[in-house]
């Protein structure tokens, strides 16, 4: 893979979701990297190279919203897609007000994820 391919970081505590999303991201031609927790992502060497972040809203220890807030507070503005198995209008509104690019409810389709990634990366969908 080329070094200039966008790196898409996926942070989700559900292994099956991480594997499935990683496969989809790779099939779109991007480079996925997955993390089991927000803390794992923060401690990784991939943080500075991440072009787009896909965050599960509800995770133990640190939620996707908390991770996004922590990154924003530290000056890192990574385009973020929030995903959740528990859709809630208030949480959705909060995530989008905080700067989220998209808010997807699990399960979601390939086209939905691709559209969100392309929006996050500033590309036009075909």
């Amino acid at each position: 893979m080329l070094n200039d391919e966008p790196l898409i970081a996926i942070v989700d505590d559900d292994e099956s979701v991480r594997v499935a999303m990683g496969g989809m991201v790779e099939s779109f031609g991007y480079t996925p990297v997955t993390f089991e927790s927000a803390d794992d992502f923060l401690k990784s060497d991939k943080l500075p190279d991440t072009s787009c972040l896909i965050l599960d809203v509800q995770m133990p220890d640190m939620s996707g919203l908390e991770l996004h807030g922590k990154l924003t507070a530290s000056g890192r503005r990574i385009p973020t897609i929030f995903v959740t198995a528990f859709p809630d209008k208030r949480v959705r509104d909060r995530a989008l007000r905080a700067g989220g690019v998209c808010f997807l409810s699990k399960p979601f389709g390939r086209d939905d994820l691709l559209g969100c990634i392309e929006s996050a990366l500033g590309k036009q969908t075909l």
Side-chain angles (χ1 to χ4, degrees):
M1 294 197 182
L2 299 175
N3 291 337
D4 60 351
E5 285 183 4
L7 183 70
I8 311 296
I10 300 162
V11 184
D12 196 305
D13 59 315
D14 184 326
E15 182 179 9
S16 63
V17 172
R18 285 194 312 273
V19 169
M21 276 199 286
M24 278 193 271
V25 166
E26 193 166 31
S27 76
F28 301 149
Y30 300 114
T31 303
V33 61
T34 62
F35 300 92
E36 184 176 358
S37 70
D39 197 46
D40 287 350
F41 175 68
L42 289 172
K43 290 178 179 174
S44 81
D45 62 350
K46 302 298 184 189
L47 178 59
D49 300 322
T50 300
S51 300
C52 174
L53 191 52
I54 301 173
L55 293 178
D56 186 14
V57 172
Q58 293 186 334
M59 294 184 289
D61 299 323
M62 186 185 309
S63 74
L65 286 169
E66 290 169 331
L67 173 56
H68 184 263
K70 190 172 202 159
L71 291 169
T72 301
S74 71
R76 293 192 185 271
R77 302 212 182 273
I78 302 169
T80 302
I81 299 163
F82 290 97
V83 297
T84 186
F86 306 98
D88 178 294
K89 184 181 179 334
R90 289 170 299 185
V91 174
R92 178 186 184 279
D93 291 347
R94 185 173 157 213
L96 295 176
R97 272 196 316 273
V101 175
C102 285
F103 190 92
L104 296 173
S105 297
K106 298 174 188 176
F108 47 82
R110 289 176 49 84
D111 291 344
D112 295 326
L113 182 60
L114 178 59
C116 286
I117 291 171
E118 289 184 340
S119 291
L121 297 175
K123 296 183 177 183
Q124 296 291 326
T125 39
L126 300 176

